[in-house]
Amino acid sequence: MDEAAELLAFEAKVAREERIEPKDWMPDAYRKNLIRQMSQHAHSEVIGMQPEGNWLTRAPTLRRKAILLAKVQDEGGHGLYLYGATETLGITREELIDALHEGRAKYASIFNYPSLTWADIGAIGWLVDGAAIVNQISLQRTSYGPYARAMVRICKEESFHQRQGYEIMLTLARGSAEQKAMAQDALNRWWWPSLMMFGPHDAESAHSAQSMRWKIKRQSNDELRQKFVDQTVPQADFIGLAIPDPQLKFNADRGHYDFGPIDWDEFQRVVAGNGPCNRERLANHLTAHREGEWVREAMAAHDAKRRARSAA
Ligand code: BYC
């Protein structure tokens, strides 16, 4: 088949809702767009371990510590599935990590904010994992097979993460006046960055139109953001916390909450590398990567030995 025929066959397959698999023909732009989105997703999971990892030594009880430890390890696991799924597109883990270190690949803006109090751990689970699930449930139906399959397990784990965060917030909100104030302060700081997680408005989203045509994305940035707001506001009401948005109001005609404008200048600043913790996050990743050099070398030596033995 020539390239035009290959493209038609590819598009017909996507239209029939069949999954594209690693060995199938795919347009180069589809492959590149997937590598971009999936690797950014993987980097987000791994960099996202830092704000919560920061509280492992200060969790208020042994039980809370064990739960948080499991959650942070899950995020590392999500990064691994996603790097593995991205490698099926013909790129190596080393290339992906280099792109992160050299600033050619992004990760979710939200992880450039500091986790200042224990309530931030609740807010991250409730809001950040909550936003991630809304997005990732939709991605379970993405057209690329390995990405869609990775999402199934990730969503199950994110659902536990969201509940553990909400339970921390519920406990604080029902605690002393000081604890409730701490929970409200965390909600105030994490609310708007959580809305930014869904990316720019649809009209400004560079990749959306093509990604929707190829069914890489199944719902737009604004649709997913609205879904998140609609599901989260009643949860805040239930625990007696106030969403920090004076314009937030249920619109009976639309059947959705209207909400105030997002500060896109702040989003651009953070994405450009100038958020409160961008440098620290990347520096920590670089240090961990360098410190892990000996592990990679040992693994490679072991692998070479095993191959030599099986060839003999
Ligand atoms: N932050 O054309 P657009 C987790 C960039 S972690 C930074 O709409 P797209 C967790 C975008 O990359 C899970 N950059 O892009 C872990 C693009 O720039 P480039 C995180 C952003 O890809 C630990 C430009 O803006 N989830 O759950 O169509 C603890 C224009 O945007 C952001 C995922 O990664 C952002 N928020 O749509 C707790 C989901 N938004 O690449 C929890 C997978 C946009 O051209 N990703 N940009 O330089 C996606 O679904 C999509 O990539 C997005 C953006 C919806 C995020």
Side-chain angles (χ1 to χ4, degrees), residues 33 36-38 40-52 71 75 78 82 104-112 124-125 128-133 135-136 139 147 151 154 158 161 193 196-202 204-209 211 217 219-221 224 267-268 270-271:
N33 194 8
R36 179 194 64 82
Q37 177 171 327
M38 290 168 67
Q40 292 185 6
H41 195 161
H43 299 325
S44 303
E45 300 280 0
V46 172
I47 297 277
M49 295 165 79
Q50 292 187 37
E52 291 175 294
K71 186 216 187 266
E75 306 298 359
H78 298 172
L82 286 165
R104 288 181 283 116
K106 296 191 166 78
Y107 58 86
S109 49
I110 189 95
F111 301 117
N112 293 307
I124 293 173
V128 178
D129 288 87
I133 295 182
N135 180 301
Q136 290 168 171
L139 286 173
Y147 195 20
M151 281 304 120
I154 290 179
E158 299 289 28
H161 298 168
M196 294 173 197
M197 277 181 80
F198 296 93
H201 286 309
D202 296 348
E204 274 89 48
S205 162
H207 302 288
S208 276
S211 292
K217 281 164 89 163
Q219 285 173 292
S220 76
N221 298 1
L224 293 169
F267 173 76
Q268 294 301 347
V270 175
V271 171

Side-chain angles (χ1 to χ4, degrees), residues 66-126:
I67 295 170
L68 183 60
L69 193 58
K71 186 216 187 266
V72 173
Q73 286 176 340
D74 284 350
E75 306 298 359
H78 298 172
L80 295 184
Y81 314 147
L82 286 165
Y83 284 126
T86 313
E87 284 180 292
T88 65
L89 290 158
I91 189 159
T92 64
R93 180 91 61 94
E94 290 71 24
E95 289 172 291
L96 298 173
I97 302 289
D98 284 350
L100 173 70
H101 289 164
E102 290 162 17
R104 288 181 283 116
K106 296 191 166 78
Y107 58 86
S109 49
I110 189 95
F111 301 117
N112 293 307
Y113 292 84
S115 48
L116 302 177
T117 70
W118 173 251
D120 288 25
I121 300 308
I124 293 173
W126 174 33

Side-chain angles (χ1 to χ4, degrees), residues 189-202:
R189 285 181 289 106
W190 289 91
W191 175 252
W192 291 104
S194 298
L195 297 195
M196 294 173 197
M197 277 181 80
F198 296 93
H201 286 309
D202 296 348

Side-chain angles (χ1 to χ4, degrees), residues 19 138-144 147-148 215-218:
R19 295 265 160 80
S138 177
L139 286 173
Q140 287 180 3
R141 293 188 304 117
T142 188
S143 55
Y144 188 56
Y147 195 20
K215 300 187 180 173
I216 292 174
K217 281 164 89 163
R218 305 303 305 245

